[in-house]
Coordinates of all heavy atoms in Angstrom, one line a residue:
M2 N 22.3 -29.2 7.3 CA 22.6 -29.2 5.8 C 21.4 -29.8 5.0 O 21.0 -29.3 4.0 CB 23.8 -30.0 5.6 CG 24.3 -30.0 4.1 SD 25.8 -30.9 3.8 CE 25.8 -30.9 2.0
G3 N 20.9 -30.9 5.6 CA 19.8 -31.6 4.9 C 18.6 -30.7 4.8 O 17.9 -30.6 3.8
E4 N 18.3 -29.9 5.9 CA 17.1 -29.1 5.9 C 17.2 -27.9 4.9 O 16.3 -27.6 4.2 CB 16.8 -28.5 7.3 CG 16.1 -29.5 8.2 CD 15.9 -28.9 9.6 OE1 15.6 -27.7 9.7 OE2 15.9 -29.7 10.6
A5 N 18.4 -27.3 4.9 CA 18.7 -26.2 4.0 C 18.5 -26.7 2.5 O 17.9 -26.0 1.7 CB 20.1 -25.6 4.2
E6 N 19.0 -27.8 2.2 CA 18.8 -28.3 0.9 C 17.4 -28.6 0.5 O 16.9 -28.3 -0.6 CB 19.6 -29.6 0.7 CG 21.1 -29.4 0.4 CD 21.8 -30.7 0.0 OE1 21.2 -31.7 0.1 OE2 23.0 -30.6 -0.2
R7 N 16.7 -29.1 1.5 CA 15.2 -29.3 1.3 C 14.5 -28.0 1.0 O 13.6 -27.9 0.2 CB 14.6 -30.0 2.5 CG 13.4 -30.8 2.2 CD 12.8 -31.4 3.4 NE 13.8 -32.2 4.2 CZ 13.7 -32.5 5.5 NH1 12.6 -32.0 6.2 NH2 14.5 -33.2 6.1
G8 N 14.9 -26.9 1.8 CA 14.3 -25.6 1.6 C 14.5 -25.0 0.2 O 13.7 -24.5 -0.4
E9 N 15.8 -25.1 -0.2 CA 16.1 -24.6 -1.5 C 15.5 -25.4 -2.7 O 15.3 -24.9 -3.8 CB 17.6 -24.5 -1.7 CG 18.3 -23.4 -0.9 CD 19.7 -23.3 -1.2 OE1 20.2 -23.8 -2.2 OE2 20.4 -22.7 -0.4
A10 N 15.3 -26.7 -2.4 CA 14.7 -27.5 -3.4 C 13.2 -27.2 -3.7 O 12.7 -27.5 -4.7 CB 14.8 -29.0 -3.0
A11 N 12.6 -26.6 -2.7 CA 11.1 -26.3 -2.8 C 11.0 -25.3 -4.0 O 11.6 -24.2 -4.0 CB 10.6 -25.7 -1.6
P12 N 10.2 -25.6 -4.9 CA 10.0 -24.7 -6.1 C 9.3 -23.4 -5.7 O 8.3 -23.4 -5.0 CB 9.2 -25.5 -7.1 CG 8.5 -26.5 -6.3 CD 9.4 -26.8 -5.1
R13 N 9.9 -22.3 -6.2 CA 9.3 -21.0 -5.8 C 9.2 -20.1 -7.1 O 9.8 -20.4 -8.1 CB 10.3 -20.3 -4.8 CG 10.2 -21.0 -3.5 CD 11.2 -20.3 -2.5 NE 11.2 -21.1 -1.3 CZ 11.8 -20.6 -0.2 NH1 12.4 -19.5 -0.2 NH2 11.9 -21.4 0.9
Q14 N 8.5 -19.0 -6.9 CA 8.3 -18.1 -8.0 C 8.5 -16.7 -7.4 O 7.9 -16.4 -6.3 CB 7.0 -18.2 -8.7 CG 5.8 -18.2 -7.8 CD 4.5 -18.4 -8.5 OE1 4.4 -18.0 -9.7 NE2 3.5 -18.9 -7.9
N15 N 9.2 -15.8 -8.1 CA 9.2 -14.4 -7.7 C 8.2 -13.6 -8.5 O 8.2 -13.6 -9.7 CB 10.6 -13.9 -8.0 CG 11.7 -14.4 -7.0 OD1 11.4 -14.7 -5.9 ND2 12.9 -14.6 -7.5
V16 N 7.4 -12.9 -7.7 CA 6.3 -12.1 -8.3 C 6.6 -10.6 -8.0 O 6.9 -10.3 -6.9 CB 4.9 -12.5 -7.8 CG1 3.8 -11.7 -8.5 CG2 4.7 -14.0 -8.0
T17 N 6.6 -9.8 -9.0 CA 6.9 -8.4 -8.9 C 5.6 -7.6 -8.8 O 4.7 -7.7 -9.7 CB 7.8 -7.9 -10.0 OG1 8.9 -8.7 -10.1 CG2 8.2 -6.5 -9.7
Y18 N 5.4 -6.8 -7.8 CA 4.3 -5.9 -7.7 C 4.7 -4.4 -7.9 O 5.8 -4.1 -7.5 CB 3.6 -6.1 -6.3 CG 2.9 -7.4 -6.2 CD1 3.6 -8.5 -5.6 CD2 1.6 -7.6 -6.6 CE1 3.0 -9.7 -5.4 CE2 1.0 -8.8 -6.5 CZ 1.7 -9.9 -5.9 OH 1.1 -11.1 -5.7
F19 N 3.8 -3.6 -8.4 CA 4.1 -2.2 -8.7 C 3.0 -1.4 -8.0 O 1.8 -1.6 -8.2 CB 4.1 -1.9 -10.1 CG 5.1 -2.8 -10.9 CD1 4.7 -4.0 -11.4 CD2 6.4 -2.4 -11.1 CE1 5.6 -4.9 -12.1 CE2 7.3 -3.2 -11.8 CZ 6.9 -4.4 -12.3
C20 N 3.4 -0.4 -7.2 CA 2.4 0.5 -6.6 C 2.5 1.9 -7.4 O 3.3 2.1 -8.2 CB 2.7 0.7 -5.1 SG 4.0 1.9 -4.8
S21 N 1.5 2.8 -7.0 CA 1.4 4.0 -7.7 C 2.6 5.0 -7.4 O 2.7 6.0 -8.0 CB 0.1 4.7 -7.4 OG 0.0 4.9 -6.0
H22 N 3.4 4.6 -6.4 CA 4.6 5.4 -6.1 C 5.8 4.9 -6.9 O 6.9 5.3 -6.6 CB 4.9 5.4 -4.6 CG 4.0 6.3 -3.8 ND1 3.9 6.3 -2.5 CD2 3.1 7.3 -4.3 CE1 3.0 7.2 -2.1 NE2 2.5 7.8 -3.2
E23 N 5.6 4.0 -7.8 CA 6.6 3.4 -8.6 C 7.6 2.6 -7.8 O 8.8 2.5 -8.1 CB 7.4 4.5 -9.5 CG 6.4 5.2 -10.4 CD 7.1 6.3 -11.2 OE1 8.4 6.4 -11.0 OE2 6.5 6.9 -12.1
H24 N 7.1 2.1 -6.7 CA 7.9 1.1 -6.0 C 7.8 -0.3 -6.6 O 6.7 -0.6 -7.0 CB 7.5 1.0 -4.5 CG 7.7 2.3 -3.8 ND1 6.8 2.8 -2.8 CD2 8.7 3.2 -3.9 CE1 7.2 3.9 -2.3 NE2 8.4 4.2 -3.0
R25 N 8.9 -1.0 -6.6 CA 8.8 -2.4 -7.2 C 9.1 -3.3 -6.1 O 10.2 -3.2 -5.5 CB 9.9 -2.4 -8.3 CG 10.0 -3.8 -9.0 CD 11.2 -3.8 -9.8 NE 11.1 -2.9 -11.0 CZ 11.3 -3.2 -12.2 NH1 11.7 -4.4 -12.5 NH2 11.2 -2.4 -13.2
S26 N 8.2 -4.2 -5.8 CA 8.3 -5.1 -4.7 C 8.3 -6.6 -5.2 O 7.4 -7.0 -5.9 CB 7.2 -5.0 -3.7 OG 7.1 -3.6 -3.3
V27 N 9.4 -7.3 -5.0 CA 9.5 -8.7 -5.4 C 9.1 -9.6 -4.2 O 9.7 -9.5 -3.1 CB 10.9 -9.0 -5.9 CG1 10.9 -10.5 -6.3 CG2 11.3 -8.2 -7.0
V28 N 8.0 -10.3 -4.4 CA 7.5 -11.2 -3.3 C 7.7 -12.6 -3.8 O 7.4 -13.0 -4.9 CB 6.0 -10.9 -3.0 CG1 5.6 -11.8 -1.8 CG2 5.8 -9.5 -2.7
T29 N 8.3 -13.5 -2.9 CA 8.5 -14.9 -3.3 C 7.4 -15.7 -2.8 O 7.0 -15.7 -1.6 CB 9.9 -15.3 -2.7 OG1 10.9 -14.5 -3.1 CG2 10.2 -16.8 -3.1
F30 N 6.8 -16.5 -3.7 CA 5.7 -17.4 -3.3 C 6.2 -18.8 -3.7 O 7.0 -19.0 -4.6 CB 4.4 -17.1 -4.1 CG 3.8 -15.8 -3.8 CD1 4.0 -14.7 -4.5 CD2 3.0 -15.7 -2.6 CE1 3.5 -13.5 -4.2 CE2 2.4 -14.5 -2.3 CZ 2.7 -13.3 -3.1
S31 N 5.6 -19.8 -3.1 CA 5.7 -21.2 -3.5 C 4.9 -21.3 -4.9 O 4.0 -20.6 -5.1 CB 5.1 -22.1 -2.5 OG 4.8 -23.4 -3.1
V32 N 5.4 -22.1 -5.7 CA 4.7 -22.3 -7.0 C 3.3 -22.8 -6.8 O 2.5 -22.7 -7.7 CB 5.5 -23.1 -8.0 CG1 6.8 -22.4 -8.5 CG2 5.8 -24.5 -7.4
E33 N 3.1 -23.5 -5.7 CA 1.8 -24.0 -5.4 C 0.8 -23.0 -4.9 O -0.4 -23.2 -4.9 CB 1.9 -25.2 -4.4 CG 2.7 -26.4 -4.9 CD 3.0 -27.4 -3.9 OE1 2.6 -27.1 -2.7 OE2 3.6 -28.4 -4.2
A34 N 1.4 -21.9 -4.4 CA 0.5 -20.8 -3.8 C -0.2 -20.1 -4.9 O 0.3 -19.9 -6.0 CB 1.4 -19.8 -3.0
V35 N -1.4 -19.6 -4.6 CA -2.2 -18.8 -5.5 C -1.7 -17.4 -5.4 O -1.7 -16.8 -4.3 CB -3.7 -18.9 -5.2 CG1 -4.5 -17.9 -6.1 CG2 -4.2 -20.3 -5.3
V36 N -1.1 -16.8 -6.4 CA -0.5 -15.5 -6.4 C -1.7 -14.5 -6.3 O -2.5 -14.4 -7.3 CB 0.4 -15.3 -7.6 CG1 0.9 -13.8 -7.6 CG2 1.5 -16.2 -7.6
P37 N -1.7 -13.6 -5.3 CA -2.8 -12.6 -5.3 C -2.6 -11.5 -6.3 O -1.5 -11.2 -6.7 CB -2.7 -12.0 -3.8 CG -1.3 -12.3 -3.4 CD -0.9 -13.6 -4.1
A38 N -3.7 -11.0 -6.8 CA -3.6 -10.0 -7.9 C -3.1 -8.7 -7.4 O -2.6 -7.8 -8.1 CB -5.0 -9.8 -8.5
S39 N -3.2 -8.4 -6.0 CA -2.7 -7.2 -5.5 C -2.0 -7.5 -4.2 O -2.3 -8.5 -3.5 CB -3.8 -6.2 -5.2 OG -4.7 -6.7 -4.2
W40 N -1.1 -6.6 -3.8 CA -0.2 -6.8 -2.6 C 0.1 -5.5 -2.1 O 0.4 -4.5 -2.8 CB 1.1 -7.5 -3.1 CG 1.9 -8.0 -2.0 CD1 2.9 -7.4 -1.4 CD2 1.7 -9.3 -1.3 NE1 3.5 -8.2 -0.4 CE2 2.7 -9.4 -0.3 CE3 0.8 -10.4 -1.4 CZ2 2.9 -10.5 0.5 CZ3 1.0 -11.5 -0.6 CH2 2.0 -11.5 0.4
D41 N 0.0 -5.3 -0.7 CA 0.3 -4.0 -0.1 C 1.8 -3.8 -0.3 O 2.6 -4.6 0.1 CB -0.1 -4.1 1.4 CG -1.6 -3.9 1.6 OD1 -2.3 -3.6 0.6 OD2 -2.0 -4.1 2.7
C42 N 2.1 -2.6 -0.8 CA 3.5 -2.2 -1.0 C 4.2 -2.2 0.4 O 3.8 -1.5 1.3 CB 3.6 -0.9 -1.7 SG 5.3 -0.2 -1.8
P43 N 5.3 -2.9 0.6 CA 6.0 -2.9 1.9 C 6.7 -1.6 2.2 O 7.0 -1.3 3.3 CB 7.0 -4.0 1.8 CG 7.1 -4.5 0.3 CD 5.9 -3.8 -0.4
R44 N 6.9 -0.7 1.2 CA 7.6 0.6 1.4 C 6.6 1.7 1.8 O 6.9 2.5 2.6 CB 8.4 0.9 0.2 CG 9.6 0.0 0.0 CD 10.3 0.3 -1.3 NE 10.9 1.7 -1.3 CZ 11.6 2.2 -2.3 NH1 11.7 1.5 -3.4 NH2 12.1 3.4 -2.2
C45 N 5.4 1.7 1.1 CA 4.5 2.9 1.4 C 3.1 2.4 1.8 O 2.3 3.2 2.2 CB 4.5 3.8 0.2 SG 3.6 3.0 -1.2
G46 N 2.9 1.1 1.7 CA 1.6 0.6 2.2 C 0.4 0.7 1.2 O -0.7 0.2 1.5
L47 N 0.7 1.3 0.1 CA -0.3 1.4 -0.9 C -0.5 0.1 -1.6 O 0.4 -0.7 -1.7 CB 0.0 2.5 -2.0 CG 0.0 3.9 -1.6 CD1 0.4 4.8 -2.7 CD2 -1.4 4.3 -1.1
P48 N -1.7 -0.2 -2.1 CA -1.9 -1.4 -2.9 C -1.1 -1.4 -4.2 O -0.9 -0.4 -4.8 CB -3.4 -1.4 -3.2 CG -3.8 0.0 -3.1 CD -2.9 0.6 -2.1
A49 N -0.5 -2.6 -4.4 CA 0.4 -2.7 -5.6 C -0.2 -3.9 -6.4 O -0.8 -4.8 -5.9 CB 1.8 -3.1 -5.2
S50 N -0.1 -3.8 -7.8 CA -0.6 -4.8 -8.7 C 0.5 -5.4 -9.5 O 1.6 -4.9 -9.5 CB -1.7 -4.2 -9.6 OG -1.1 -3.4 -10.6
L51 N 0.1 -6.4 -10.3 CA 1.1 -7.1 -11.1 C 1.4 -6.3 -12.4 O 2.4 -6.5 -13.1 CB 0.6 -8.5 -11.5 CG 0.3 -9.4 -10.3 CD1 -0.5 -10.6 -10.8 CD2 1.6 -9.9 -9.7
D52 N 0.5 -5.3 -12.7 CA 0.7 -4.6 -14.0 C 1.5 -3.3 -13.7 O 1.0 -2.4 -13.1 CB -0.7 -4.2 -14.5 CG -0.7 -3.6 -15.9 OD1 0.4 -3.4 -16.4 OD2 -1.8 -3.3 -16.4
C53 N 2.7 -3.3 -14.3 CA 3.6 -2.2 -14.0 C 3.1 -0.9 -14.7 O 3.4 0.2 -14.3 CB 5.0 -2.5 -14.4 SG 5.2 -2.7 -16.2
D54 N 2.4 -1.0 -15.8 CA 1.9 0.1 -16.5 C 0.6 0.7 -15.9 O 0.2 1.8 -16.3 CB 1.6 -0.2 -18.0 CG 2.9 -0.5 -18.7 OD1 3.9 0.1 -18.4 OD2 2.9 -1.4 -19.5
N55 N 0.0 -0.1 -15.0 CA -1.3 0.4 -14.5 C -1.4 0.0 -13.0 O -2.3 -0.8 -12.6 CB -2.5 -0.3 -15.3 CG -3.8 0.4 -15.0 OD1 -3.8 1.5 -14.5 ND2 -4.9 -0.4 -15.2
P56 N -0.6 0.6 -12.1 CA -0.7 0.3 -10.7 C -2.0 0.9 -10.1 O -2.6 1.9 -10.6 CB 0.5 1.0 -10.1 CG 0.8 2.1 -11.1 CD 0.4 1.6 -12.4
P57 N -2.5 0.2 -9.1 CA -3.8 0.7 -8.6 C -3.6 2.0 -7.9 O -2.6 2.3 -7.3 CB -4.2 -0.4 -7.5 CG -2.9 -1.1 -7.2 CD -2.0 -1.0 -8.4
P58 N -4.6 2.9 -8.0 CA -4.5 4.3 -7.3 C -4.7 4.1 -5.8 O -5.3 3.1 -5.4 CB -5.6 5.0 -7.9 CG -6.6 4.0 -8.3 CD -5.8 2.8 -8.7
A59 N -4.2 5.1 -5.1 CA -4.3 5.0 -3.6 C -5.8 5.3 -3.3 O -6.3 6.3 -3.6 CB -3.4 6.1 -3.0
P60 N -6.5 4.3 -2.7 CA -7.9 4.4 -2.6 C -8.4 5.2 -1.4 O -9.4 5.9 -1.4 CB -8.3 3.0 -2.4 CG -7.2 2.3 -1.8 CD -5.9 3.1 -2.2
K61 N -7.7 5.2 -0.2 CA -8.2 5.8 1.0 C -7.6 7.1 1.2 O -8.3 8.0 1.7 CB -7.8 4.9 2.2 CG -8.6 3.5 2.1 CD -8.1 2.6 3.3 CE -8.8 1.2 3.1 NZ -8.2 0.3 4.1
I62 N -6.4 7.4 0.9 CA -5.7 8.6 1.3 C -6.1 9.7 0.3 O -6.4 10.8 0.7 CB -4.2 8.4 1.3 CG1 -3.9 7.3 2.3 CG2 -3.5 9.7 1.7 CD1 -2.4 6.8 2.2
E63 N -6.1 9.5 -1.0 CA -6.2 10.5 -2.0 C -7.6 11.3 -1.9 O -7.6 12.5 -1.9 CB -6.1 9.9 -3.4 CG -4.6 9.6 -3.7 CD -3.7 10.7 -3.7 OE1 -4.1 11.9 -3.8 OE2 -2.5 10.5 -3.5
P64 N -8.7 10.6 -1.7 CA -10.0 11.3 -1.6 C -10.0 12.3 -0.4 O -10.5 13.4 -0.5 CB -11.0 10.2 -1.5 CG -10.4 9.0 -2.1 CD -8.9 9.2 -1.8
Y65 N -9.4 11.8 0.7 CA -9.4 12.7 1.9 C -8.5 13.9 1.6 O -8.9 15.0 1.9 CB -8.8 11.9 3.0 CG -8.6 12.7 4.3 CD1 -9.7 13.1 5.0 CD2 -7.4 13.1 4.7 CE1 -9.6 13.8 6.2 CE2 -7.2 13.9 5.9 CZ -8.4 14.2 6.6 OH -8.2 15.0 7.7
K66 N -7.4 13.7 0.9 CA -6.5 14.9 0.6 C -7.2 15.8 -0.3 O -7.1 17.0 -0.2 CB -5.2 14.4 0.0 CG -4.1 14.0 1.0 CD -2.9 13.6 0.3 CE -1.8 13.3 1.3 NZ -0.6 12.8 0.6
T67 N -7.9 15.2 -1.3 CA -8.6 16.1 -2.3 C -9.7 16.9 -1.6 O -9.8 18.1 -1.9 CB -9.3 15.2 -3.4 OG1 -8.2 14.4 -3.9 CG2 -9.9 16.0 -4.4
H68 N -10.4 16.3 -0.7 CA -11.4 17.0 0.0 C -10.8 18.2 0.9 O -11.3 19.3 0.9 CB -12.2 16.1 0.9 CG -13.2 16.8 1.8 ND1 -14.4 17.3 1.3 CD2 -13.2 17.0 3.1 CE1 -15.1 17.8 2.2 NE2 -14.4 17.7 3.4
L69 N -9.7 17.8 1.5 CA -9.0 18.8 2.4 C -8.5 20.0 1.5 O -8.7 21.1 1.9 CB -7.8 18.1 3.1 CG -7.3 18.9 4.3 CD1 -8.3 18.9 5.4 CD2 -6.0 18.2 4.7
A70 N -7.9 19.6 0.4 CA -7.5 20.7 -0.5 C -8.6 21.5 -1.0 O -8.5 22.7 -1.1 CB -6.8 20.0 -1.7
Y71 N -9.8 20.9 -1.2 CA -10.9 21.6 -1.7 C -11.4 22.6 -0.6 O -11.7 23.8 -0.9 CB -12.1 20.6 -2.0 CG -13.3 21.3 -2.4 CD1 -13.5 21.9 -3.6 CD2 -14.5 21.2 -1.6 CE1 -14.6 22.5 -4.0 CE2 -15.7 21.8 -1.9 CZ -15.7 22.4 -3.2 OH -16.9 23.0 -3.5
V72 N -11.4 22.2 0.7 CA -11.8 23.0 1.8 C -10.7 24.2 1.9 O -11.1 25.4 2.1 CB -11.8 22.2 3.1 CG1 -12.0 23.2 4.3 CG2 -12.9 21.2 3.0
K73 N -9.5 23.9 1.8 CA -8.4 24.9 1.9 C -8.6 25.9 0.8 O -8.4 27.1 1.0 CB -7.0 24.3 1.8 CG -6.6 23.7 3.2 CD -5.2 23.2 3.0 CE -4.7 22.7 4.4 NZ -3.4 22.0 4.3
E74 N -8.9 25.4 -0.4 CA -9.1 26.3 -1.6 C -10.2 27.3 -1.3 O -10.1 28.5 -1.6 CB -9.4 25.4 -2.8 CG -9.1 26.1 -4.1 CD -9.3 25.1 -5.3 OE1 -8.6 24.1 -5.3 OE2 -10.1 25.4 -6.1
R75 N -11.3 26.8 -0.8 CA -12.5 27.6 -0.5 C -12.1 28.6 0.5 O -12.5 29.8 0.4 CB -13.6 26.8 0.0 CG -14.4 26.0 -1.1 CD -15.5 25.3 -0.6 NE -16.5 26.2 0.0 CZ -17.6 25.8 0.6 NH1 -17.8 24.5 0.8 NH2 -18.4 26.6 1.1
R76 N -11.4 28.2 1.5 CA -11.0 29.1 2.6 C -10.1 30.2 2.1 O -10.3 31.4 2.4 CB -10.3 28.3 3.7 CG -10.1 29.2 5.0 CD -9.4 28.4 6.1 NE -10.3 27.3 6.5 CZ -9.8 26.3 7.3 NH1 -8.6 26.2 7.7 NH2 -10.6 25.3 7.6
S77 N -9.2 29.9 1.2 CA -8.2 30.9 0.7 C -9.0 31.8 -0.2 O -8.7 33.0 -0.3 CB -7.1 30.2 0.0 OG -7.5 29.6 -1.2
D78 N -10.0 31.3 -0.9 CA -10.8 32.2 -1.7 C -11.6 33.2 -0.9 O -11.6 34.4 -1.2 CB -11.9 31.3 -2.5 CG -11.3 30.7 -3.8 OD1 -10.1 31.0 -4.1 OD2 -12.0 29.9 -4.4
Q79 N -12.1 32.8 0.3 CA -12.8 33.7 1.2 C -11.8 34.7 1.7 O -12.1 35.9 1.8 CB -13.4 32.9 2.3 CG -14.2 33.7 3.3 CD -15.4 34.4 2.6 OE1 -16.1 33.8 1.8 NE2 -15.5 35.7 2.8
E80 N -10.6 34.3 2.0 CA -9.6 35.2 2.5 C -9.2 36.2 1.4 O -9.1 37.4 1.7 CB -8.3 34.4 3.0 CG -8.5 33.8 4.3 CD -7.3 32.9 4.7 OE1 -6.4 32.8 3.9 OE2 -7.4 32.2 5.7
A81 N -9.1 35.7 0.2 CA -8.8 36.6 -0.9 C -9.9 37.6 -1.1 O -9.6 38.8 -1.3 CB -8.6 35.8 -2.2
A82 N -11.1 37.2 -0.9 CA -12.3 38.1 -1.1 C -12.3 39.2 0.0 O -12.5 40.3 -0.2 CB -13.6 37.3 -1.0
D83 N -11.9 38.7 1.3 CA -11.8 39.7 2.4 C -10.7 40.7 2.1 O -10.9 41.9 2.4 CB -11.5 38.9 3.7 CG -12.8 38.1 4.1 OD1 -13.9 38.3 3.6 OD2 -12.6 37.2 5.0
I84 N -9.6 40.2 1.7 CA -8.5 41.1 1.4 C -8.8 42.1 0.3 O -8.6 43.3 0.4 CB -7.2 40.3 1.0 CG1 -6.7 39.5 2.2 CG2 -6.1 41.2 0.5 CD1 -5.7 38.5 1.9
L85 N -9.5 41.6 -0.7 CA -9.9 42.5 -1.8 C -10.9 43.6 -1.3 O -10.8 44.7 -1.7 CB -10.6 41.7 -2.9 CG -11.0 42.4 -4.2 CD1 -9.7 42.9 -4.9 CD2 -11.8 41.5 -5.1
D86 N -11.9 43.1 -0.5 CA -12.9 44.0 0.1 C -12.2 45.1 0.9 O -12.6 46.3 0.8 CB -13.9 43.2 0.9 CG -15.1 44.0 1.2 OD1 -15.7 44.6 0.2 OD2 -15.6 44.0 2.3
E87 N -11.2 44.7 1.7 CA -10.5 45.6 2.6 C -9.8 46.6 1.7 O -9.8 47.8 2.0 CB -9.6 44.8 3.4 CG -9.2 45.5 4.7 CD -8.3 44.6 5.6 OE1 -8.9 43.7 6.2 OE2 -7.1 44.8 5.6
A88 N -9.1 46.1 0.7 CA -8.4 47.0 -0.2 C -9.3 48.0 -0.9 O -9.0 49.2 -1.1 CB -7.7 46.2 -1.3
L89 N -10.5 47.6 -1.3 CA -11.4 48.5 -2.0 C -11.9 49.5 -1.0 O -12.1 50.7 -1.4 CB -12.6 47.7 -2.5 CG -12.4 46.9 -3.8 CD1 -13.6 46.0 -4.1 CD2 -12.2 47.8 -4.9
Q90 N -12.2 49.1 0.2 CA -12.6 50.1 1.2 C -11.5 51.2 1.5 O -11.8 52.4 1.6 CB -13.0 49.4 2.5 CG -14.3 48.8 2.5 CD -14.8 48.2 3.8 OE1 -14.0 48.2 4.8 NE2 -16.0 47.7 3.8
T91 N -10.3 50.7 1.6 CA -9.1 51.6 1.7 C -9.1 52.6 0.6 O -8.8 53.8 0.7 CB -7.8 50.8 1.8 OG1 -8.0 49.9 2.9 CG2 -6.6 51.7 2.2
L92 N -9.2 52.0 -0.6 CA -9.2 52.8 -1.9 C -10.3 53.9 -1.8 O -10.1 55.1 -2.1 CB -9.4 51.9 -3.1 CG -8.9 52.5 -4.4 CD1 -7.4 52.7 -4.4 CD2 -9.4 51.5 -5.5
R93 N -11.5 53.5 -1.4 CA -12.7 54.4 -1.4 C -12.4 55.5 -0.4 O -12.7 56.7 -0.6 CB -13.9 53.6 -1.0 CG -14.4 52.7 -2.1 CD -15.9 52.3 -1.8 NE -16.3 51.2 -2.7 CZ -16.4 49.9 -2.4 NH1 -16.1 49.5 -1.1 NH2 -16.7 49.0 -3.3
T94 N -11.8 55.1 0.8 CA -11.5 56.1 1.8 C -10.5 57.1 1.3 O -10.6 58.3 1.5 CB -10.9 55.4 3.0 OG1 -11.8 54.4 3.5 CG2 -10.7 56.4 4.2
K95 N -9.5 56.6 0.6 CA -8.5 57.5 0.0 C -9.1 58.4 -1.0 O -8.8 59.6 -1.2 CB -7.3 56.7 -0.6 CG -6.3 56.2 0.4 CD -5.2 55.4 -0.3 CE -4.2 54.9 0.7 NZ -3.2 54.0 0.1
R96 N -10.0 57.8 -1.8 CA -10.6 58.6 -2.9 C -11.5 59.8 -2.3 O -11.5 60.9 -2.8 CB -11.5 57.7 -3.8 CG -11.9 58.3 -5.1 CD -12.7 57.4 -5.9 NE -11.9 56.3 -6.4 CZ -12.5 55.2 -6.9 NH1 -13.8 55.0 -7.0 NH2 -11.8 54.2 -7.4
K97 N -12.2 59.4 -1.2 CA -13.0 60.4 -0.5 C -12.1 61.6 0.0 O -12.4 62.8 -0.2 CB -13.7 59.8 0.7 CG -15.1 59.2 0.3 CD -15.8 58.7 1.5 CE -17.0 57.9 1.1 NZ -17.6 57.2 2.3
A98 N -11.0 61.2 0.6 CA -10.1 62.2 1.1 C -9.6 63.0 -0.1 O -9.4 64.3 0.1 CB -8.9 61.5 1.8
G99 N -9.3 62.4 -1.2 CA -8.9 63.1 -2.4 C -9.9 64.1 -2.8 O -9.6 65.2 -3.2
E100 N -11.2 63.7 -2.8 CA -12.2 64.6 -3.2 C -12.3 65.8 -2.3 O -12.6 66.9 -2.8 CB -13.6 63.9 -3.2 CG -13.7 62.9 -4.4 CD -14.9 62.0 -4.2 OE1 -15.7 62.1 -3.2 OE2 -15.1 61.1 -5.1
I101 N -12.1 65.6 -1.0 CA -12.1 66.7 -0.1 C -11.0 67.7 -0.5 O -11.2 69.0 -0.5 CB -12.0 66.3 1.3 CG1 -13.3 65.5 1.7 CG2 -11.8 67.4 2.3 CD1 -13.1 64.7 2.9
I102 N -9.8 67.2 -0.8 CA -8.6 68.1 -1.0 C -8.8 68.8 -2.3 O -8.6 70.0 -2.4 CB -7.3 67.2 -1.1 CG1 -7.0 66.7 0.3 CG2 -6.2 68.0 -1.6 CD1 -5.9 65.6 0.4
F103 N -9.3 68.1 -3.4 CA -9.4 68.8 -4.6 C -10.8 69.5 -4.7 O -11.6 69.3 -5.5 CB -9.3 67.7 -5.8 CG -7.8 67.3 -5.9 CD1 -7.5 66.0 -5.5 CD2 -6.8 68.1 -6.3 CE1 -6.2 65.6 -5.5 CE2 -5.5 67.7 -6.4 CZ -5.2 66.4 -6.0
Ligands
LIG226 ZN1 5.0 1.9 -2.7

């Protein structure tokens, strides 16, 4: 009983952190502790900050995804070009056949 009372008597502060996924994490610090400006979100692992209106962007994952999306975009463009080329050749073949008939 004495120890529990001593623990509750220790002054604490609740600090709320916000990540870019709009997770709100309340972390309890001792009032004597230096509160860090950023904290890893316990739910998604992204860095979270004290400013709810301006959470830090995801630094490591987003650029990789953007690059991957860029590569996929280029690949699909190439596929689209191939499909268009194939369609044009089919059209030309049909047109030639039509010229023979008419
Ligand atoms: Zn989060």
Side-chain angles (χ1 to χ4, degrees):
M2 181 179 171
E4 279 182 33
E6 276 188 359
R7 204 184 305 158
E9 285 185 19
R13 291 179 187 189
Q14 54 180 330
N15 288 327
V16 181
T17 307
Y18 289 95
F19 304 88
C20 82
S21 58
H22 286 168
E23 298 180 0
H24 297 144
R25 180 190 293 231
S26 311
V27 179
V28 185
T29 303
F30 294 98
S31 163
V32 291
E33 294 172 358
V35 177
V36 176
S39 66
W40 192 263
D41 284 348
C42 174
R44 289 177 66 183
C45 68
L47 290 180
S50 76
L51 299 166
D52 186 359
C53 65
D54 293 325
N55 192 22
K61 293 173 185 173
I62 302 167
E63 290 296 339
Y65 177 73
K66 275 184 178 175
T67 303
H68 176 71
L69 197 67
Y71 179 69
V72 171
K73 279 183 177 175
E74 200 175 302
R75 283 184 62 189
R76 190 179 295 168
S77 68
D78 278 354
Q79 184 60 47
E80 283 173 5
D83 288 346
I84 290 166
L85 185 66
D86 196 46
E87 205 175 282
L89 283 172
Q90 281 186 358
T91 305
L92 198 67
R93 289 193 190 106
T94 307
K95 282 182 179 175
R96 194 179 291 166
K97 274 183 189 172
E100 281 171 4
I101 292 166
I102 291 168
F103 291 107

